[in-house]
Amino acid sequence: MKRFLRDNGLGIAFGLLFLGTLVGQAVAGHADFNNRQIVDGGSEISFWSFLTTSEFAVDVAENWQSEYLQFLLYIFATVWLIQRGSPESKSPETIGVETDEQQQMGRYATEDSPKWVRAGGWRTAVFSRSLGITMGVLFLLSWIAQSIAGLAAYNSEQLAQLTDPVTWPQYVGSADFWNRTLQNWQSEFLAIGSMAVLSVYLRQRGSPESKPVGAAHAVTEDTG
């Protein structure tokens, strides 16, 4: 058990942080929702009822989709784009999809390589793009979930104001939807861009996200 916890510490730690903050968001969101209900002359709802509301669902989904979009774009962007001196970037000599030898594919695969790498054909082609494909699917699913939950929340407000509800295509093209979406996207792009640039000149000893403390600023793809 100790070895399992040590070997999976990063995933476990962030999994627990995710659950803790999700619960915190639900508690705070429930309190805020009920406060607004009272102000608007409505009735309070229970915590469990709040978890099934479109208001809670859209707040969660819109954050998820922006995170998966961030990683999706970064995965593909770092194939062809570099930031010289950043450990978040490949070296200039390895721009592109790289050779089979560099990627340990084809005749360069080893006995320890994943089965689908050693299998060749379509399975190797799919596996070599599996991370990007998975992130793309997760982004699409969370984006759809956000749009559906957002539509329900938006139409609920429309009906409360005695105005006509809108259809899904109308909502996806609305200012409300894109205001929610773009305010998350811009923060993700700022964060990942800042990390790529600041890691050229700043260090964090012992972190694989940082170069060795004594490494020159111009050194790229050198972690420690």
Side-chain angles (χ1 to χ4, degrees), residues 174-184:
S174 70
D176 180 84
F177 176 77
W178 286 106
N179 177 53
R180 284 178 171 273
T181 300
L182 293 175
Q183 66 179 303
N184 282 281

Side-chain angles (χ1 to χ4, degrees), residues 38-203:
I38 294 173
V39 171
D40 295 336
S43 56
E44 296 185 9
I45 63 174
S46 69
F47 176 74
W48 300 111
S49 295
F50 172 72
L51 295 183
T52 64
T53 62
S54 57
E55 177 125 352
F56 177 68
V58 71
D59 286 343
V60 172
E62 70 183 21
N63 283 289
W64 289 8
Q65 60 91 2
S66 65
E67 296 294 340
Y68 286 123
L69 175 65
Q70 174 195 106
F71 287 117
L72 172 64
L73 293 180
Y74 200 63
I75 287 167
F76 284 104
T78 51
V79 174
W80 300 101
L81 302 178
I82 67 166
Q83 182 66 49
R84 182 178 289 275
S86 174
E88 298 294 311
S89 168
K90 298 196 297 183
S91 63
E93 295 77 19
T94 57
I95 291 176
V97 294
E98 303 178 12
T99 65
D100 285 355
E101 182 177 7
Q102 289 172 312
Q103 290 291 313
Q104 299 179 19
M105 296 169 57
R107 63 190 181 92
Y108 299 103
T110 67
E111 292 183 358
D112 295 330
S113 297
K115 289 183 179 179
W116 277 39
V117 174
R118 290 183 276 115
W122 68 269
R123 284 176 290 184
T124 297
V126 170
F127 185 77
S128 66
R129 298 167 177 82
S130 56
L131 182 59
I133 291 172
T134 300
M135 288 296 176
V137 171
L138 290 172
F139 163 68
L140 183 60
L141 291 176
S142 55
W143 184 88
I144 292 173
Q146 177 204 347
S147 67
I148 293 173
L151 172 65
Y154 183 80
N155 279 339
S156 178
E157 293 181 3
Q158 290 288 96
L159 293 172
Q161 296 169 3
L162 303 179
T163 54
D164 293 332
V166 299
T167 63
W168 183 79
Q170 288 175 322
Y171 177 68
V172 171
S174 70
D176 180 84
F177 176 77
W178 286 106
N179 177 53
R180 284 178 171 273
T181 300
L182 293 175
Q183 66 179 303
N184 282 281
W185 287 7
Q186 57 87 14
S187 64
E188 302 300 339
F189 298 154
L190 174 64
I192 202 164
S194 298
M195 181 64 180
V197 175
L198 292 176
S199 59
V200 176
Y201 305 102
L202 305 178
R203 308 286 188 270

